[in-house]
Amino acid sequence: MTQRDEQAVVRIKQLHKSFGSVEVLRGVDLEVDRGEVVVILGPSGSGKSTLLRCVNLLEKPTKGEIWFEDILVTDPKVDINHVREKVGMVFQSFNLFPHLSAKRNVMLAQRKVLKRSKEEAERSAIEQLEKVGLGDRIEYMPAQLSGGQQQRVAIARALAMDPHVMLFDEATSALDPELVRGVLDVMRELADGGMTMIVVTHEMGFAREVADRVIFMDEGVIVEQGSPSDVFDNPQSPRTKDFLGHIS
């Protein structure tokens, strides 16, 4: 095993995913090291979100291997719920329970999945909500919170599970522009704190500023990858140049 393999939190080998006759992922290879922030860019339909959802088997791969730490996630015998405890995921939609306060939303999975006591779960919930800037909103119901605040509750909920890696699938795309900054600031702080992160986003400023590595996907394959300056300032692939030219 190479030194890189020992550091890798996620290893994806020749990943394929089809929906019926449509092949969405066509042989993706990717390793993400501990503490690394990887940002995935690409046009709609390029396979970015499907790749992310395959990591914790929200989508079942058609072919290939996915390793999380030393666990072969794609082994049919694996306890995927055990893996998911260590893989936090934040979606476009906040998926909060509307009848529970922010604090109780963050407590719920800790109680159900991690079997924490009420006191322990409550302490962690308050700590994580304070970390995302919502210490004064812990008893608010989701309907009393802005979209950006709801998304920060969703991030706090994921962090309360003590994940080893965080997956963000277009976490800001459903938000009004003025609410995006607060969520991105939380993500920046996580990156600064050493959290391993795989982020699908259209926020180019965030990618340039925070990513250790930027990946450009198109038509189910990784077309190009490198440091933010490599990909943004000196793209090698004509497809990457065209994509960046249309969004800059």
Side-chain angles (χ1 to χ4, degrees), residues 99-247:
H99 63 290
L100 297 180
S101 67
K103 182 179 72 176
R104 290 181 65 201
N105 263 285
V106 178
M107 289 175 62
L108 186 63
Q110 298 182 67
R111 300 274 283 134
K112 297 274 188 187
V113 179
L114 301 183
K115 307 300 184 188
R116 286 178 176 165
S117 68
K118 181 182 177 184
E119 293 73 23
E120 190 180 7
E122 184 173 31
R123 186 166 59 246
S124 175
I126 293 171
E127 178 186 338
Q128 297 302 339
L129 286 166
E130 288 176 343
K131 190 179 290 185
V132 300
L134 294 175
D136 60 343
R137 299 285 194 274
I138 62 173
E139 298 296 350
Y140 281 45
M141 306 301 279
Q144 297 174 294
L145 300 171
S146 71
Q149 290 169 334
Q150 289 185 59
Q151 189 61 294
R152 283 187 273 159
V153 173
I155 294 172
R157 178 179 57 190
L159 291 175
M161 303 296 285
D162 299 327
H164 294 187
V165 61
M166 285 285 287
L167 312 178
F168 292 88
D169 186 12
E170 300 281 14
T172 60
S173 65
L175 301 177
D176 292 334
E178 66 268 24
L179 301 177
V180 169
R181 179 180 294 178
V183 174
L184 292 180
D185 284 347
V186 170
M187 293 168 67
R188 283 188 185 91
E189 288 171 16
L190 288 177
D192 289 344
M195 176 64 74
T196 308
M197 296 165 58
I198 309 176
V199 183
V200 171
T201 186
H202 286 103
E203 298 291 338
M204 298 300 144
F206 175 87
R208 183 184 280 274
E209 180 187 341
V210 179
D212 296 303
R213 185 160 37 123
V214 172
I215 289 171
F216 175 70
M217 286 186 69
D218 191 31
E219 296 184 351
V221 298
I222 293 176
V223 175
E224 187 164 351
Q225 61 180 305
S227 69
S229 59
D230 287 341
V231 173
F232 285 113
D233 300 333
N234 191 29
Q236 301 300 302
S237 162
R239 185 67 191 90
T240 312
K241 291 176 184 176
D242 182 62
F243 175 79
L244 293 173
H246 278 91
I247 60 172

